[in-house]
C-alpha cells in the first residue's frame, strides 16, 4: 500500500510520540524485611517508599499507570492513591506472588486490549529513581529504535542483583538472577536495575513464554530479555552513571541507609538555599518541604509532608511537623507537635504545644506550654499561653485566653463549636460549654463555667460566694490526733525535715 505524503507525516509523528503505559510491581511482602507490613509501605522520609516511585513515574504521564498489588492490597492501593491520585491509576491484583514476571502478566491484563504503545516497567522498591533519568532512558530507547531496553549499572559489589550477561559480540544476551548464576556470571559487575521499556506486543509475547524452572520456582520478568533475543529483537542495556538512584530496598539496613542518603540530600539543598541547621544529622525533612532563608532548624526535628516554613523562622528543636504552613519570623520553642495547620507570621509556639489538624492562627499569636488546639481558628494577636484545650473554636483578634481555659466541645455524641469575639479577656480556669458564643470585649471572670451566650462588652461570672471558717484547720487536726499518720507527721516535724511547709 502506498501512503500519501500526509499520511506518511502522521505516521512518523505517531512513532515519535508513542503512547506510554507504566507498570509498577508492588505485590510482594518483602521477606527480607522481616515484617508484617508489605515492603513498599515501609516509610522513607515520612512516606511509603511506593509513593516516591509512583510520583517519579507519574511525571511521564503514562496512560494508564498500573500498580500490581497483592500483600496488603488495600493499604498499598491507598498509599498509591494518596501519592498520585490525579494520575490515571489502575490496580492489578496478584493474589499469589509467583514472581516479577507473573506480576507483570497480571498488570498487562489492565492495559486496554488495543494498547500498542510502549510499556515502562519498574519495581515499587526503588524509591530514589529520578524522573529525569527515566525521561533520558525513554528518549534513548526511541532514538536507537530498540525493541526492549532496560537500565543497567556497574556495581563494585553486585550483591544479589541480577547480572547482565553479554554474548561474545558484547550484546546483551540475558539477565541471570544471582541465585541462578554460575560463578563466572556472579563475577560480572553490570547489574539489572529493574527498569524496562518494551513495546506492548513484544511484552505480551515474551510474558506468555516465561517458565519457572529456576532456583526460586518463580516466573522472572528478567527472562523477557533472553526471550526477546531468541525472537531476533533488538535489546539494549542503557547504562546509568549514578547507581545510588537504583538501589533497591530489600532489608531494614537498606531502608536506614537510604533514609540517611535522602536526608543528607534534602538538607544539603536547604542549606544551599540559606537555611541553618544546628545538627543536620538529626533533622529529618521530607523532600517536598520548603523552608525560607535565614530560618534556623534546631536538633531532633521531623518536618514532613507538604510543610512550608517561611523566612527567619526559629525552630528550636524536638519538633514534629506535618503538612504545616508557618509564616515568616515565627518562633517554635522546644517540643512542638503540629499537623495539618497554619501558623501565621510572627507567632510564638510552645514550649510543649500540640497543634492538631485544622488549627489556623492568623498571625502574631501565642500558643504557650501545654496548650492543645484542634480545629481552632485564632484571629491576629490572640494568645493562649498556658494549659488550655481549644477545640472546635473560632476566636477573634487580640483576645487573651487565660491559663487553664477549656472548651467543652464533646457531649459523647457530637462536637460543638465555641465562638469568642475580639479583645476578650477569658479568665483563668474558665470552661465554655459548647455550643456557645461569647461576644466582643467580654470579660470572663476566672473560674467561670459558661453555659449560655454572652453579649458584647459584658462581664460574666459564675462565682459561688466565698465562705470562710476561722480556726477550722487546727480543729481538723485535733479531731485526728489519734490517727497513725498524725503521730508520724508529728515525729518528722520534730526531726525538722518536714516536707509540707506547715509551720512547726
Ligand atoms: C529484582 C530483579 C533483579 C534486579 C533487582 C533490582 C527479578 C526476577 N529480579 O530482584 O534482576 O537486579 O530486582 O532491584 O525481577 N513483586 C511482585 N510480585 C511478585 C514478586 C515481586 O509484585 O510475585 C514486586 C515486589 O513487590 C518488588 C518488586 O517486584 O517491589 C521486585 O521484587 P524483589 O523480590 O525485590 O526482586 P529482587 O530479588 O530484588
Ligand atoms: Ca528488590
Amino acid at each position: 500500500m502506498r501512503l500519501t505524503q500526509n499520511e506518511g507525516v502522521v505516521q512518523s509523528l505517531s512513532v515519535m510520540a508513542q503512547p506510554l503505559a507504566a507498570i509498577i510491581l508492588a505485590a510482594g511482602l518483602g521477606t527480607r524485611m522481616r515484617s508484617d507490613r508489605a515492603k513498599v509501605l515501609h516509610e522513607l522520609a515520612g512516606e511509603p517508599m511506593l509513593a516516591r516511585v509512583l510520583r517519579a513515574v507519574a511525571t511521564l504521564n503514562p496512560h494508564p499507570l498500573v500498580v500490581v498489588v497483592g500483600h496488603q492490597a488495600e493499604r498499598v492501593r491507598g498509599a498509591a492513591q494518596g501519592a498520585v491520585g490525579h494520575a490515571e491509576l489502575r490496580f492489578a491484583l496478584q493474589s499469589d506472588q509467583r514472581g516479577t514476571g507473573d506480576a507483570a502478566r497480571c498488570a498487562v491484563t489492565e492495559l486496554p486490549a488495543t494498547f500498542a504503545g510502549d510499556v515502562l516497567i519498574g519495581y515499587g522498591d526503588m524509591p530514589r529513581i529520578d524522573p529525569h533519568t527515566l525521561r533520558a532512558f525513554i528518549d534513548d530507547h526511541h532514538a536507537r529504535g530498540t525493541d526492549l531496553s532496560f537500565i543497567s549499572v556497574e556495581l563494585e559489589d553486585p550483591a544479589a542483583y541480577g547480572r547482565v550477561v553479554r554474548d561474545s559480540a558484547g550484546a546483551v544476551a540475558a539477565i541471570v538472577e544471582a541465585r541462578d548464576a554460575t560463578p563466572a556470571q556472579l563475577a560480572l559487575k553490570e547489574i539489572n536495575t529493574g527498569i524496562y521499556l518494551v513495546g506492548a506486543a513484544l511484552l505480551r509475547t515474551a510474558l506468555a513464554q516465561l517458565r519457572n524452572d529456576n532456583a526460586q520456582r518463580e516466573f522472572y520478568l528478567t527472562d523477557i530479555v533472553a526471550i526477546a533475543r531468541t525472537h531476533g529483537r533488538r535489546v539494549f542495556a542503557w547504562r546509568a552513571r549514578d547507581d545510588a538512584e537504583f538501589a533497591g530496598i530489600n532489608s531494614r539496613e537498606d531502608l536506614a541507609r537510604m533514609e540517611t542518603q535522602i536526608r543528607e540530600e534534602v538538607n544539603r539543598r536547604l542549606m544551599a538555599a540559606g537555611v541553618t541547621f544546628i545538627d543536620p544529622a538529626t533533622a529529618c525533612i521530607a523532600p517536598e518541604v520548603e523552608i525560607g532563608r535565614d530560618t534556623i532548624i534546631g536538633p531532633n526535628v521531623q518536618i514532613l509532608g507538604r510543610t512550608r516554613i517561611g523566612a527567619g523562622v526559629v525552630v528550636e528543636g524536638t519538633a514534629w511537623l506535618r503538612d504545616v504552613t508557618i509564616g515568616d519570623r515565627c518562633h517554635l520553642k522546644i517540643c512542638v507537635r503540629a499537623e495539618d495547620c497554619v501558623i501565621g507570621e510572627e507567632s510564638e509556639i510552645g514550649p510543649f504545644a500540640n497543634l492538631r489538624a485544622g488549627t489556623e492562627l492568623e498571625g502574631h499569636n501565642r500558643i504557650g506550654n501545654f496548650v492543645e488546639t484542634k480545629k481552632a481558628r485564632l484571629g491576629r494577636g490572640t494568645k493562649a499561653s498556658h494549659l488550655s484545650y481549644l477545640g472546635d473554636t473560632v476566636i477573634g483578634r487580640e483576645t487573651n485566653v487565660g491559663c487553664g481555659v477549656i472548651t467543652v466541645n464533646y457531649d459523647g455524641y457530637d462536637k460543638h463549636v465555641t465562638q469568642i469575639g475580639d479583645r476578650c479577656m477569658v479568665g483563668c480556669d474558665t470552661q465554655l460549654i459548647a455550643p456557645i458564643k461569647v461576644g466582643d470585649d467580654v470579660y470572663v471572670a476566672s473560674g467561670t463555667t459558661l453555659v449560655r451566650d454572652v453579649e458584647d462588652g459584658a462581664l460574666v461570672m459564675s462565682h459561688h460566694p466565698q465562705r470562710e471558717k476561722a480556726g477550722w484547720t487546727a480543729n481538723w487536726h485535733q479531731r485526728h490526733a489519734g490517727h497513725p499518720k498524725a503521730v508520724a507527721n508529728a515525729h518528722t516535724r520534730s526531726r525538722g525535715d518536714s516536707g509540707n511547709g506547715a509551720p512547726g
Side-chain angles (χ1 to χ4, degrees), residues 25 27-28 32 39 94 97 99-100 123 125 161-162 177 192-193:
L25 310 187
R32 289 165 282 180
K39 177 166 69 177
Q94 185 197 24
Q97 279 70 56
T100 50
Y123 300 151
D125 68 345
Y161 289 104
E177 290 308 290
N192 165 36
T193 64

Side-chain angles (χ1 to χ4, degrees), residues 117-156:
D118 289 328
V119 186
L120 178 81
I121 310 175
Y123 300 151
D125 68 345
M126 44 174 68
R128 285 196 74 194
I129 181 71
D130 183 332
H132 299 100
T133 308
L134 292 175
R135 186 78 264 167
F137 166 61
I138 293 171
D139 289 347
D140 181 83
H141 174 88
H142 291 145
R144 282 176 202 276
T146 317
D147 298 312
L148 191 171
S149 302
F150 64 95
I151 306 183
S152 73
V153 287
E154 291 252 0
L155 290 185
E156 230 5 85

Side-chain angles (χ1 to χ4, degrees), residues 176-498:
V176 176
E177 290 308 290
R179 291 220 236 165
D180 300 287
T182 63
Q185 289 170 334
L186 271 183
L188 296 169
K189 294 197 152 51
E190 185 184 10
I191 63 99
N192 165 36
T193 64
I195 295 166
Y196 317 79
L197 187 66
V198 52
L202 174 57
L203 177 64
R204 288 191 173 99
T205 309
L207 289 178
Q209 293 178 17
L210 293 180
R211 293 176 17 199
N212 66 346
D213 48 355
N214 52 50
Q216 303 185 70
R217 315 293 312 155
E218 285 186 354
F219 295 94
Y220 292 161
L221 176 59
T222 43
D223 286 346
I224 63 173
V225 167
I227 293 170
R229 278 300 304 271
T230 60
H231 285 265
R233 308 299 287 269
R234 285 157 302 177
V235 175
F236 186 73
W238 188 81
R239 287 220 205 175
R241 263 167 284 126
D242 178 15
D243 54 61
E245 234 183 90
F246 305 97
I249 302 277
N250 295 310
S251 64
R252 307 270 182 166
E253 207 181 324
D254 292 341
L255 192 69
R257 191 179 308 118
M258 195 172 289
E259 179 79 38
T260 307
Q261 287 168 357
I262 292 174
R263 177 164 70 218
E264 285 172 356
E265 202 171 88
V266 170
N267 292 355
R268 262 200 307 275
R269 172 173 62 73
L270 290 168
M271 286 187 266
V275 178
T276 293
F277 285 80
I278 306 294
D279 182 14
T282 62
C284 303
I285 302 181
E288 277 147 309
V289 169
E290 287 172 19
I291 304 182
R293 293 162 74 104
D294 291 320
T295 284
I296 300 173
I297 303 295
N300 193 26
V301 297
Q302 295 182 62
I303 305 179
L304 308 171
R306 289 179 177 82
T307 296
R308 309 250 171 287
I309 301 182
V313 171
V314 176
V315 179
E316 284 184 357
T318 310
W320 188 97
L321 313 171
R322 187 195 286 279
D323 298 328
V324 182
T325 301
I326 301 176
D328 294 344
R329 296 175 301 282
C330 283
H331 185 169
L332 272 61
K333 298 184 174 174
I334 196 101
C335 294
V336 172
R337 188 189 196 282
E339 183 163 25
D340 200 3
C341 58
V342 179
I343 300 173
E345 54 170 17
E346 298 196 30
S347 293
E348 203 178 298
I349 313 295
F352 305 99
N354 184 11
L355 275 53
R356 294 167 53 201
T359 297
E360 286 178 36
L361 310 180
E362 196 181 343
H364 295 263
N365 298 95
R366 165 147 176 69
I367 299 293
N369 40 200
F370 309 108
V371 173
E372 174 182 347
T373 61
K374 185 217 69 174
K375 283 194 191 161
R377 257 177 25 230
L378 272 58
R380 197 176 163 87
T382 286
K383 299 181 173 67
S385 300
H386 333 264
L387 300 162
S388 278
Y389 173 63
L390 303 174
D392 303 291
T393 306
V394 182
I395 307 181
R397 295 179 159 197
E398 305 296 340
T399 281
N400 189 68
V401 176
C403 176
V405 169
I406 290 171
T407 55
V408 184
N409 61 332
Y410 185 45
D411 61 13
Y413 291 99
D414 295 304
K415 302 283 169 69
H416 302 282
V417 173
T418 297
Q419 285 172 271
I420 302 174
D422 297 340
R423 297 172 304 275
C424 293
M425 285 293 293
V426 184
C428 296
D429 192 26
T430 292
Q431 302 104 56
L432 299 108
I433 315 283
I436 193 161
K437 185 173 177 194
V438 175
D440 294 335
D441 302 294
V442 168
Y443 261 66
V444 182
S446 38
T448 296
T449 300
L450 283 171
V451 293
R452 277 190 305 276
D453 292 357
V454 183
E455 274 179 25
D456 291 353
L459 166 68
V460 56
M461 63 186 87
S462 61
H463 290 164
H464 300 292
Q466 184 166 320
R467 298 191 303 162
E468 190 170 324
K469 294 191 176 181
W472 183 91
T473 312
N475 209 333
W476 168 251
H477 287 314
Q478 209 163 16
R479 275 191 279 146
H480 290 83
H483 192 284
K485 280 196 176 162
V487 176
N489 285 348
H491 180 67
T492 40
R493 274 200 294 277
S494 71
R495 284 210 331 252
D497 57 2
S498 152

